[in-house]
Amino acid sequence: MTITIVGHGYVGLVTACVFADFGNKVWVVGHTKEKLARLKKGDPIIFEPGLKELLQKNIKARRIFFTDDYENSVSESEIVFIAVGTPTKETGEADLNAVIDVARKIGKNLKSKLTVVSCKSTVPVGTNKKIETVIKRHKPKSSEFAVASVPEFLREGTGIFDTLNPDRVIIGSDSKKAIELLIKLHQPINGKRIITNLASAEMIKYASNSMLATKISFANLISFYCEKTGANVVEVLDAVGLDNRIGRSFLYPGVGYGGSCLPKDVRAFLNTGKKLSINSKFLEAAEEINKTAMDSFVDVVANNSPGKKIGILGLSFKPNTDDVREAPSLYIISELLKQGFEIKTYDPVAMENVKKFFENKISFKKNPYEAVAKTDAVLVITEWNEFKQIDLAKIKKIMNQPFVFDGRNIYEPELMKKLGFKYFSIGRP
Ligand code: UDX
């Protein structure tokens, strides 16, 4: 098949590379010339494990092409995916400007055969109908199209694996032909197929991300209880998670959830709820607890650190990504700066992306040891593998004072005590 994907972020580029790797011809449409030039040379711009190799392989095989031209790409494609961003507006609403603008451009460039316009961007219920209206308004009279919603569930850091092995492939459309074509395109991909209408497909994405956010906030809430009672949150949630109805995954407390999806999607879903006069306090609470998780970590550091010099390990919103959108690290650093802390940091891949937020207010180091040398306390904010078995004895030796604040519970309290650290973690005595 020939397909077009508009957008080359974590979703667009990963999806494009995977479909190209199956042997399809894939056009990737972008708007920024410099980025397109880098992509054409095999530089994925973003960091996602395995993506560079997959991109370069498919450029070489002449299966993936980058352009800012909708005419060539859209006109020869059977399926066109919209995979552009839907950031939050100040009101909490999802900003649909990019999606609608792209729909207009796709519409103008449709040719006579049936083209399926399929939205992967996370958009509030009803948006695909808007996309349909916009395309209808702009398309050449003779052309035919159908819209579909195919929400994406890939997690950053495991994007390629998730695209190949999703738990489910959701295809929402009112058009039989669109559903048939999308089933054909997804044929090599694992996972259960759910065929549904547009509104349900849109809703499935928000309901899933809201549920995940709620599970994390529930875990954080239980950690607050544990901290005040001497219970151990890890043992509690290990046991709770053994109940199959609940499950263990996404029940890890920490410094809060971040990233480009959960915070934004919970806000947008709340906004939809408000418009529909639905009492969504349940989700508001998930949001509030998430902020409390970050605030209470800041308080524990501020109240217990023996000095103002600190080293921070991990900046990305989770391991294996360079993405720092809504990363808890950004909030925690800005709060600690307000309180006069002097901060050195280290992250394997996310430092470049953090520099623009703080300029020279914090320093960026080449390795974790440089970030913690001569500090009064170490803060672990992202659980990168390389911190898990770091030389703790060496760290203790090079620090001014042996204080560790572990925001992701990656070390064992007993071991830390034995090594002579004053150790603080989440919800564990
Ligand atoms: C998420 C969804 O998982 C994915 O299905 C959807 O399509 C996009 O949004 P992503 O944003 O890549 O994916 O990250 P995810 O792995 O969900 O983690 C989100 C945040 O939650 C991270 O900050 C992570 O550290 C935090 N988290 C996750 C916890 O604090 N505890 C947990 O138990 C799990």
Side-chain angles (χ1 to χ4, degrees):
M1 268 191 210
T2 298
I3 64 172
T4 289
I5 297 187
V6 185
H8 46 67
Y10 293 88
V11 170
L13 192 57
V14 170
T15 310
C17 287
V18 166
F19 282 133
D21 208 49
F22 288 142
N24 297 293
K25 176 178 179 186
V26 183
W27 285 101
V28 178
V29 179
H31 297 111
T32 319
K33 289 241 184 301
E34 306 85 73
K35 287 189 180 172
L36 290 168
R38 283 173 67 185
L39 288 161
K40 277 181 194 167
K41 284 191 196 136
D43 169 5
I45 306 172
I46 49 169
F47 172 79
E48 180 65 34
L51 186 58
K52 195 174 186 174
E53 294 74 11
L54 201 61
L55 172 64
Q56 292 179 352
K57 177 182 163 199
N58 284 286
I59 290 175
K60 226 176 175 180
R62 299 196 51 77
R63 287 192 292 255
I64 191 165
F65 302 90
F66 296 91
T67 182
D68 58 358
D69 174 23
Y70 283 73
E71 196 181 338
N72 291 336
S73 50
V74 169
S75 63
E76 71 166 28
S77 294
E78 286 160 86
I79 302 174
V80 179
F81 286 103
I82 302 177
V84 295
T86 51
T88 314
K89 286 205 245 180
E90 261 175 33
T91 51
E93 250 174 308
D95 185 343
L96 298 176
N97 281 328
V99 170
I100 297 301
D101 182 48
V102 165
R104 196 179 305 122
K105 289 176 179 151
I106 293 172
K108 281 185 182 160
N109 290 284
L110 287 177
K111 284 275 151 67
S112 50
K113 62 181 180 196
L114 178 87
T115 312
V116 176
V117 181
S118 165
C119 188
K120 269 203 176 290
S121 303
T122 303
V123 291
V125 185
T127 306
N128 275 282
K129 283 278 173 207
K130 275 189 204 153
I131 292 175
E132 190 173 19
T133 311
V134 169
I135 296 177
K136 251 185 206 151
R137 206 182 299 140
H138 292 277
K139 79 178 187 70
K141 276 213 172 71
S142 57
S143 63
E144 269 183 67
F145 78 104
V147 294
S149 166
V150 183
E152 180 52 60
F153 297 95
L154 69 83
R155 296 160 298 174
E156 288 177 24
T158 50
I160 295 172
F161 177 85
D162 288 355
T163 305
L164 291 169
N165 304 286
D167 292 326
R168 68 291 205 206
V169 174
I170 312 293
I171 300 177
S173 182
D174 302 331
S175 153
K176 246 191 172 168
K177 278 191 185 162
I179 292 169
E180 271 166 22
L181 261 182
L182 284 162
I183 288 177
K184 188 171 151 205
L185 179 69
H186 287 84
Q187 191 270 330
I189 287 176
N190 296 321
K192 201 171 158 61
R193 270 60 175 158
I194 305 284
I195 312 298
T196 182
N197 65 21
L198 285 174
S200 300
E202 292 166 327
M203 184 67 80
I204 287 165
K205 179 64 195 267
Y206 281 101
S208 300
N209 276 355
S210 296
M211 185 67 220
L212 294 174
T214 308
K215 273 191 100 173
I216 299 167
S217 282
F218 180 79
N220 279 321
L221 176 66
I222 299 303
S223 82
F224 305 153
Y225 276 88
C226 290
E227 269 159 26
K228 301 237 155 136
T229 55
N232 181 326
V233 77
V234 176
E235 287 164 18
V236 171
L237 292 176
D238 277 346
V240 169
L242 279 172
D243 183 329
N244 286 328
R245 294 168 301 175
I246 300 171
R248 184 64 179 96
S249 65
F250 268 74
L251 266 189
Y252 292 89
V255 290
Y257 61 76
S260 65
C261 294
L262 301 194
K264 164 180 81 74
D265 293 350
V266 169
R267 275 197 299 271
F269 208 33
L270 274 169
N271 196 274
T272 304
K274 211 191 266 167
K275 282 190 185 152
L276 300 171
S277 304
I278 293 166
N279 178 338
S280 312
K281 285 216 175 84
F282 178 70
L283 279 182
E284 275 169 28
E287 236 189 0
E288 243 172 66
I289 292 169
N290 199 50
K291 175 141 189 316
T292 308
M294 293 190 263
D295 282 329
S296 68
F297 187 71
V298 169
D299 288 345
V300 171
V301 174
N303 296 334
N304 295 284
S305 176
K308 293 281 187 192
K309 290 192 171 116
I310 57 172
I312 291 187
L313 301 183
L315 297 168
S316 52
F317 81 96
K318 67 172 192 178
N320 301 318
T321 180
D322 61 346
D323 198 345
V324 298
R325 284 176 287 176
E326 305 215 28
S329 66
L330 301 181
Y331 179 79
I332 291 165
I333 290 172
S334 61
E335 288 303 301
L336 291 172
L337 283 174
K338 280 185 212 155
Q339 301 194 34
F341 281 86
E342 248 175 69
I343 302 175
K344 294 197 278 184
T345 61
Y346 168 76
D347 185 284
V349 293
M351 291 197 286
E352 261 326 297
N353 289 339
V354 169
K355 279 182 185 158
K356 60 177 177 284
F357 291 97
F358 299 108
E359 288 160 3
N360 50 10
K361 288 193 198 117
I362 64 175
S363 61
F364 297 91
K365 300 294 172 190
K366 282 202 280 302
N367 61 57
Y369 299 102
E370 279 187 28
V372 308
K374 298 197 167 66
T375 57
D376 303 310
V378 172
L379 279 53
V380 177
I381 298 199
T382 317
E383 68 279 31
W384 282 93
N385 272 346
E386 68 176 90
F387 304 146
K388 290 180 181 165
Q389 293 188 329
I390 203 163
D391 187 343
L392 289 164
K394 178 173 169 186
I395 290 212
K396 178 158 180 278
K397 224 189 242 163
I398 60 178
M399 289 178 73
N400 286 346
Q401 320 219 37
F403 277 62
V404 173
F405 297 89
D406 179 357
R408 298 288 182 183
N409 287 351
I410 64 172
Y411 302 125
E412 277 315 310
E414 275 307 312
L415 175 70
M416 296 305 275
K417 197 173 159 189
K418 226 194 261 162
L419 288 168
F421 282 103
K422 186 95 176 101
Y423 179 64
F424 299 79
S425 60
I426 306 288
R428 296 187 298 179

